[in-house]
Amino acid sequence: MKLLVIAISSLTYLQGFSQETEIKYLSGTDFKNPVSWEFMCSDGRNSNVWTSINVPSNWELEGFGEYTYGRWYKELNEKEPSKEEGFYRYEFDIPSEYKGKNITIVFGGAMTDTEVKINGKLAGPIHQGGFYEFKYDITKLLNYGKQNILEVKVSKHSNNETVNNAERKTDWWLFGGIYRPVWLEINPFSYIKHVAVDAKMDGSLTADLELVNIPNNTEIQAVIIPLEGSAEFQSFQFPINSKANSTSIKAKWEGIKSWNPESPDLYTLELQLKQGSKILHKYSTRIGFRTLEFLKKDGIYVNGKKILMKGINRHSIWPESGRSTDKEISIMDVNLLKDMNMNAVRFHYPPDDHFLEVCDSLGLFVLDELAGWQNGYDTETGTKLIKEMVQRDVNHPSVIIWDHGNEGGWNYEIDDVFHQFDPQKRIVIHPWADFNGWDTHHYPTYLTGMHRFNNGENVFFPTEFMHGTYDNGIGAGLKDFWERYSKSPLFAGGFIWAMLDEAVLRSDWSGDEKYDSKGNLAADGVLGPHREKEGSFFAVKEIWAPIQFQPKSITSTFDGSFFIKNDYIYTNLKDCSMSYRVFKIEENALYSDKTSKVIASNFIKLENIIPGETRRIHFDLPQNFFEGDWLEINAKDKFGREIYTWTWPIHRAPDLTQKLLLKDGPNKKVSVTKNATNVTLTNGDIKIVLNSISGELGEVTNRNGKIPFANGPKPVGMKAKVKGVTIEETNQGAICSFNYAGGITTANWTLFNDGRLKLELVFLKDAGRNNGFDGAFFEGSISAFGVSFDFPEEGVKNFKWLGNGPYHVWKNRISGTEFGLWEKDYNNTITGESFENLIYPEFKGYHTNFIGGSLNTERGSIRFFSEQDNLFLRLFTPDFPKKDVSQVFPQPEFPIGDISFLYEIPAMRAFKPLEHQGPESQPTNIRIKNGDDGIPMVIWFDFRDN
């Protein structure tokens, strides 16, 4: 056994007559700074032997017991997990001068049934419930001036079946152990035990106090101290009846700053229990002044403003430590949510207290939830746990709503318990239910109706929507849903599922594979397990940006003007900052390591634009503006955090392509040969062989040999077959022209004397002609449309391109990409699965607004360019997840081929079928009429060895 090295918090003990609560940690403060305790686990790995363990921790991550996922009984079809028990021992010293004080032992969280003994005697009833802070008064159990023995028995599986049903038959990882800190609270004989505050935006405050051992002639003195600034506020005195065990105080301060997530101003409320001039106890708690109003058939108001919650669901988890986290992780996570322009977060159980502290200080609305994943606690247990949850979290201004369980995991008998301990009387919701005027319907469809959204009368805020398995449905479709729902005055926001891919380190696995998310069950995040940013991160960031630009293309008439909307709740845009930069591509950028340069930049003045208002902004165009290739506008909030960076190409695709495409070639006369099956175009070392029967590229060679780019243009989303072929020689080169029946009308291949190869396609021209097919040559609904070529992935090194990037896209997830010159190395990342080697952005997939690119391989480089604006490039096919345990449709089917040039691409199916999503998720329809010019597509290829 080890003697306790006393760790004292920032609170100090006794100065003069002042007596403050003293905090002494028995465990470490977090998993990064643990304390070793004696330990034995009853089952699984390293069991039935006394050894040591870090506290706090989950014992599975420390090498004990067995890993269990909460769907063991359903999708996983596994046997019932072993009922592991952990036995802890720790020895600590209590100074003799502590005699006469009140000493409480506090557990931040232990999973799940916890029996505590001090010096062989029970500290109190066994605590049941794994996500709650609980405490025991151990004043009479301690040996003062001597060593004391703490013994803790933690049962991973509860003896209370309702606890198991609520917490452990769930869609999350199940862990065992003391995973949050353990500490002692040393209070004077007379002290303030607990304070529950209701602090309003006008500076008024009501506080309910629990008191212990109150003598005669005492009073409470109250004052507030701002966390920032030097403002001084008056103090108030309140007499207390002797021997009272509770009281309420009321005060009002002038000149306070109210709290909201855009301006999270905080104060310390300091209460002194005094007897004359003697301070018996000093109690401090951090608060924010804000007024909550919950108006049925209207909305949720904070400080008089109707709010729209842009939220996400988060689990408390870290891959190497399970549920045991630290404040550093909390700060990182809240900053990531703020970086996505979110203003709200929800949990499935009370989070770490330090996470709520960070939500208070950086600014997020919080939905704080009593656990109950589809099953609720019994009345007696649930009543105790609600009290523990509310008493711990009641003073956090970030907490605006209490959630009672999830998806059926509630107990109607104890709904009123929340208000017994909450003077703010926050609303209590049943997540996924239409309950008591609050409709929190989970995973609504785009056209959700039947007296819910379309014709409903209750305030609508789905506490789960846009399910993100394998990064599918978070960014995909969000824009449609958000634009539709935001049109309703009854819409109060929504919460995406979920923040994280919850993969954990398997300390029981050997080999290269280390992290486990139970296939698709826990891979639901917009971030990887170590907070790697997936593509949807940036889509959400743009869609939820509090500055929204109205659509605009830059043409020769552009004068520097845009219309923008202020989508903040509280912030005037004059308090934000905005700037622009004009970029110019360096010469031969796709043929060298050159990139781009900024040729002009300046600030953009933001006028007085109040929340909800749309106004014109303007900047004076620099003289060289149209020498640039794209415009970038960046906005930052009043704290300097980036809101978003928007981009616009300054020129159209044909102009950009001609600038990018190197024209300096050998300038040799192109020769043409033709036989029964092939047409061959030759220019020095460049040879292009076209199959005259299929119309496809059969062979490409340059001075280094054969280039395996072939078998195209293969039609995608249509049928086509060659009717005839002609050849023409010109002063600039030679042209091989194919006439088609079906979806392709013509395909003209031109090899120029300088070695460049141009393909001019026309689709769907002259609909009245004989298409040569028994039935339709394309489907009425089109998920993908264009042409494909074959090219092997082997030997591919990287890709450099001009277009939107750097992440791949889906039809319903274009947001979050920016126009520019990008480069990325080849990788095989499978989002939600490649945890040992997550490389972002993913290399493969669809890329939007493609202008030109260089695909660099071990055999040399090939380059291709588009003269079409908003053309999609398909670059290979992302690997399909291999470990999903249920049919989750991780990606739509890709077209034939490897490299495709497309006008239409598929939408991501996400958690719901496509027909349940919005218009941008639906396949395309097109009507072809006589007289149409058809749809052109011009692609340039450069197979020269440049």
Side-chain angles (χ1 to χ4, degrees):
M1 300 184 187
K2 297 183 179 179
L3 286 177
L4 165 68
V5 177
I6 296 177
I8 302 179
S9 75
S10 57
L11 300 171
T12 35
Y13 176 68
L14 281 181
Q15 291 202 353
F17 291 110
S18 173
Q19 294 199 39
E20 299 180 270
T21 300
E22 191 176 345
I23 304 296
K24 296 184 176 183
Y25 283 95
L26 302 182
S27 72
T29 53
D30 53 58
F31 81 96
K32 293 177 183 174
N33 300 281
V35 169
S36 181
W37 290 14
E38 288 188 282
F39 179 73
M40 181 177 69
C41 189
S42 65
D43 294 282
R45 294 171 298 147
N46 300 313
S47 59
N48 295 309
V49 177
W50 278 101
T51 178
S52 62
I53 193 171
N54 288 326
V55 181
S57 70
N58 285 125
W59 65 56
E60 295 82 359
L61 281 301
E62 297 288 307
F64 300 96
E66 302 297 338
Y67 284 82
T68 306
Y69 195 80
R71 304 295 275 176
W72 56 268
Y73 64 98
K74 198 169 183 181
E75 292 93 341
L76 297 173
N77 196 27
E78 296 174 349
K79 66 177 182 179
E80 185 172 357
S82 62
K83 297 181 179 180
E84 301 157 22
E85 295 177 331
F87 300 88
Y88 295 80
R89 288 200 302 239
Y90 191 73
E91 190 169 316
F92 61 98
D93 181 59
I94 291 292
S96 56
E97 58 263 31
Y98 283 178
K99 196 166 187 178
K101 296 183 179 294
N102 291 281
I103 301 178
T104 302
I105 189 169
V106 185
F107 287 76
M111 293 175 166
T112 178
D113 286 6
T114 307
E115 178 186 270
V116 180
K117 291 182 179 180
I118 301 292
N119 298 321
K121 296 180 180 180
L122 282 173
I126 293 173
H127 183 269
Q128 296 181 323
F131 296 100
Y132 307 88
E133 180 179 297
F134 59 97
K135 57 187 69 176
Y136 301 101
D137 185 341
I138 58 172
T139 306
K140 297 179 180 179
L141 301 178
L142 293 169
N143 296 321
Y144 294 90
K146 299 179 181 179
Q147 292 181 355
N148 294 263
I149 297 176
L150 168 65
E151 297 173 283
V152 184
K153 175 185 173 184
V154 179
S155 301
K156 183 173 176 179
H157 186 93
S158 178
N159 284 327
N160 183 330
E161 232 12 74
T162 71
V163 174
N164 292 323
N165 292 339
E167 298 183 9
R168 310 193 76 73
K169 286 189 173 181
T170 57
D171 193 3
W172 62 57
W173 283 102
L174 310 180
F175 297 110
I178 303 171
Y179 69 102
R180 289 176 179 164
V182 181
W183 65 93
L184 300 179
E185 292 180 355
I186 300 97
N187 285 295
F189 179 76
S190 300
Y191 71 103
I192 302 167
K193 183 178 181 181
H194 184 262
V195 176
V197 168
D198 182 11
K200 304 289 191 183
M201 63 178 292
D202 64 355
S204 61
L205 176 144
T206 300
D208 297 334
L209 281 59
E210 291 185 36
L211 307 170
V212 176
N213 298 328
I214 301 303
N216 294 328
N217 303 317
T218 55
E219 67 176 13
I220 296 289
Q221 180 175 293
V223 69
I224 58 170
I225 304 165
L227 263 63
E228 294 185 1
S230 57
E232 294 185 4
F233 294 88
Q234 72 177 107
S235 62
F236 294 88
Q237 287 75 35
F238 307 92
I240 305 297
N241 293 328
S242 63
K243 299 182 181 179
N245 57 17
S246 66
T247 190
S248 293
I249 63 173
K250 293 184 178 181
K252 183 175 183 180
W253 285 275
E254 302 296 332
I256 63 96
K257 295 179 180 178
S258 62
W259 183 96
N260 68 66
E262 297 166 21
S263 298
D265 291 288
L266 294 168
Y267 296 81
T268 298
L269 172 66
E270 184 178 283
L271 301 175
Q272 293 183 2
L273 177 64
K274 301 178 70 174
Q275 188 178 44
S277 61
K278 183 180 180 182
I279 300 174
L280 302 178
H281 183 227
K282 186 185 291 184
Y283 183 104
S284 297
T285 185
R286 199 172 67 167
I287 65 171
F289 288 87
R290 51 108 180 93
T291 299
L292 302 177
E293 297 174 276
F294 305 99
L295 304 182
K296 294 181 180 180
K297 302 185 181 181
D298 184 358
I300 300 170
Y301 290 76
V302 178
N303 300 340
K305 302 289 186 181
K306 184 184 281 193
I307 67 168
L308 191 66
M309 293 175 284
K310 300 173 180 178
I312 200 165
N313 289 267
R314 174 191 182 266
H315 276 295
S316 299
I317 195 165
W318 186 253
E320 286 74 28
S321 59
R323 302 265 177 247
S324 193
T325 68
D326 70 345
K327 191 166 186 177
E328 185 178 328
I329 291 172
S330 291
I331 293 171
M332 174 175 59
D333 282 3
V334 174
N335 273 313
L336 285 165
L337 299 187
K338 298 284 287 187
D339 286 345
M340 276 189 283
N341 292 309
M342 294 182 175
N343 66 5
V345 63
R346 174 192 171 228
F347 308 91
H348 273 336
Y349 39 78
D352 298 281
D353 188 60
H354 51 70
F355 188 88
L356 295 179
E357 290 177 355
V358 180
C359 291
D360 293 340
S361 60
L362 293 182
L364 285 177
F365 293 129
V366 173
L367 273 60
D368 202 353
E369 186 158 304
L370 185 81
W373 199 85
Q374 300 188 355
N375 295 281
Y377 298 107
D378 65 77
T379 296
E380 181 181 359
T381 304
T383 298
K384 295 176 182 177
L385 296 180
I386 291 172
K387 178 181 179 181
E388 291 171 353
M389 169 182 165
V390 175
Q391 285 197 328
R392 191 199 72 165
D393 297 345
V394 66
N395 292 337
H396 287 286
S398 57
V399 176
I400 64 167
I401 293 173
W402 303 117
D403 295 0
H404 186 172
N406 176 68
E407 297 184 357
W410 44 76
N411 178 344
Y412 290 97
E413 293 181 4
I414 53 177
D415 276 326
D416 62 336
V417 178
F418 289 89
H419 286 178
Q420 293 177 24
F421 302 98
D422 177 19
Q424 297 179 33
K425 301 297 186 280
R426 301 164 174 94
I427 59 167
V428 177
I429 63 171
H430 292 174
W432 97 342
D434 195 347
F435 168 72
N436 195 27
W438 313 104
D439 188 353
T440 58
H441 184 39
H442 281 189
Y443 305 106
T445 65
Y446 179 78
L447 293 175
T448 287
M450 292 299 293
H451 205 65
R452 286 211 97 130
F453 180 74
N454 281 352
N455 302 300
E457 58 185 6
N458 291 331
V459 177
F460 183 77
F461 55 107
T463 41
E464 291 179 28
F465 80 134
M466 311 309 300
H467 198 288
T469 302
Y470 296 135
D471 192 32
N472 290 356
I474 287 179
L478 174 62
K479 187 175 182 180
D480 276 348
F481 277 88
W482 199 253
E483 288 179 351
R484 170 169 165 72
Y485 290 168
S486 296
K487 292 176 182 177
S488 170
L490 289 172
F491 185 52
F495 292 80
I496 290 168
W497 185 268
M499 182 178 177
L500 304 168
D501 287 336
E502 291 137 36
V504 297
L505 177 68
R506 293 296 298 252
S507 60
D508 57 339
W509 284 0
S510 59
D512 295 334
E513 193 172 27
K514 299 181 179 66
Y515 296 97
D516 184 10
S517 67
K518 284 298 176 185
N520 63 288
L521 293 181
D524 296 341
V526 70
L527 296 165
H530 292 102
R531 282 47 172 179
E532 300 90 344
K533 295 177 182 177
E534 300 172 4
S536 283
F537 178 96
F538 302 96
V540 174
K541 183 180 179 73
E542 180 179 3
I543 294 165
W544 278 354
I547 295 177
Q548 291 290 318
F549 279 76
Q550 287 191 355
K552 186 165 190 174
S553 296
I554 293 179
T555 69
S556 59
T557 64
F558 179 65
D559 65 353
S561 298
F562 292 92
F563 280 91
I564 63 171
K565 183 186 178 187
N566 181 351
D567 264 353
Y568 278 110
I569 301 172
Y570 305 95
T571 303
N572 193 313
L573 290 191
K574 67 181 176 60
D575 297 326
C576 300
S577 62
M578 186 175 281
S579 61
Y580 76 83
R581 296 194 293 177
V582 178
F583 286 83
K584 183 177 182 178
I585 303 169
E586 293 186 288
E587 187 177 359
N588 300 330
L590 291 181
Y591 294 83
S592 66
D593 59 359
K594 294 181 179 180
T595 56
S596 60
K597 59 184 179 182
V598 177
I599 62 170
S601 63
N602 210 335
F603 290 99
I604 301 174
K605 185 178 180 181
L606 289 173
E607 304 289 347
N608 181 48
I609 307 176
I610 64 174
E613 186 177 23
T614 297
R615 292 277 296 276
R616 176 180 175 268
I617 62 169
H618 173 81
F619 67 93
D620 293 329
L621 293 187
Q623 190 173 1
N624 62 347
F625 179 82
F626 286 101
E627 295 176 18
D629 296 307
W630 73 89
L631 169 68
E632 171 193 283
I633 292 181
N634 173 268
K636 293 182 171 64
D637 70 11
K638 58 187 176 183
F639 301 107
R641 187 188 302 272
E642 184 192 60
I643 295 171
Y644 194 70
T645 297
W646 299 265
T647 53
W648 295 263
I650 294 173
H651 304 288
R652 306 300 294 269
D655 299 319
L656 292 169
T657 284
Q658 290 307 312
K659 179 175 182 177
L660 289 171
L661 184 55
L662 185 65
K663 300 177 181 62
D664 299 330
N667 202 26
K668 297 179 181 179
K669 180 69 175 175
V670 176
S671 64
V672 182
T673 60
K674 184 177 184 296
N675 59 31
T677 56
N678 292 321
V679 175
T680 302
L681 310 176
T682 306
N683 172 252
D685 296 323
I686 301 296
K687 183 171 74 172
I688 307 297
V689 179
L690 298 165
N691 186 297
S692 56
I693 307 300
S694 67
E696 294 181 357
L697 186 63
E699 182 181 331
V700 179
T701 57
N702 64 11
R703 66 181 179 182
N704 296 320
K706 185 176 179 180
I707 299 171
F709 187 86
N711 303 326
K714 289 183 281 194
V716 173
M718 57 187 155
K719 299 176 183 177
K721 59 185 179 182
V722 172
K723 290 171 35 178
V725 57
T726 60
I727 299 170
E728 178 185 358
E729 296 187 53
T730 70
N731 292 332
Q732 295 180 316
I735 304 171
C736 180
S737 298
F738 292 90
N739 290 317
Y740 284 81
I744 301 176
T745 305
T746 58
N748 296 332
W749 293 87
T750 302
L751 181 62
F752 288 86
N753 294 336
D754 60 9
R756 293 175 297 152
L757 180 65
K758 181 180 182 181
L759 172 60
E760 298 173 277
L761 291 156
V762 177
F763 305 109
L764 308 179
K765 183 178 181 181
D766 188 9
R769 63 192 166 87
N770 179 10
N771 64 38
F773 295 94
D774 294 335
F777 55 80
F778 72 97
E779 300 296 330
S781 295
I782 302 169
S783 293
F785 187 88
V787 294
S788 269
F789 295 83
D790 292 340
F791 189 81
E793 292 182 33
E794 291 77 18
V796 172
K797 296 195 295 185
N798 57 59
F799 185 54
K800 185 178 183 180
W801 80 103
L802 179 67
N804 279 44
Y807 279 80
H808 68 211
V809 300
W810 305 102
K811 177 180 179 179
N812 53 359
R813 199 193 76 189
I814 304 297
S815 299
T817 60
E818 301 170 17
F819 190 85
L821 190 62
W822 304 99
E823 188 168 5
K824 58 182 174 182
D825 292 333
Y826 179 86
N827 65 71
N828 266 315
T829 290
I830 302 175
T831 292
E833 196 164 284
S834 302
F835 299 122
E836 282 70 35
N837 190 31
L838 275 176
I839 300 173
Y840 287 113
E842 304 103 321
F843 188 80
K844 306 174 189 178
Y846 299 108
H847 299 77
T848 186
N849 204 12
F850 172 75
I851 302 298
S854 176
L855 186 63
N856 304 306
T857 76
E858 294 174 355
R859 299 178 296 274
S861 300
I862 65 170
R863 299 174 180 89
F864 26 87
F865 307 84
S866 162
E867 289 195 8
Q868 264 58 54
D869 296 298
N870 301 313
L871 191 73
F872 294 99
L873 170 72
R874 175 272 197 94
L875 192 64
F876 305 117
T877 301
D879 286 358
F880 203 81
K882 303 173 179 62
K883 300 177 182 178
D884 56 310
V885 298
S886 58
Q887 195 173 21
V888 296
F889 304 100
Q891 66 188 30
E893 184 178 356
F894 272 69
I896 56 173
D898 304 297
I899 295 175
S900 309
F901 305 93
L902 303 164
Y903 279 117
E904 294 288 339
I905 63 171
M908 173 53 70
R909 180 186 182 276
F911 194 54
K912 297 283 188 180
L914 286 179
E915 57 266 28
H916 289 183
Q917 298 185 59
E920 290 304 317
S921 299
Q922 306 311 312
T924 294
N925 290 279
I926 186 171
R927 289 187 64 196
I928 308 168
K929 297 179 287 185
N930 289 325
D932 286 347
D933 287 340
I935 300 171
M937 181 184 290
V938 179
I939 307 295
W940 290 82
F941 301 93
D942 192 346
F943 299 116
R944 298 171 294 181
D945 183 31
N946 296 303

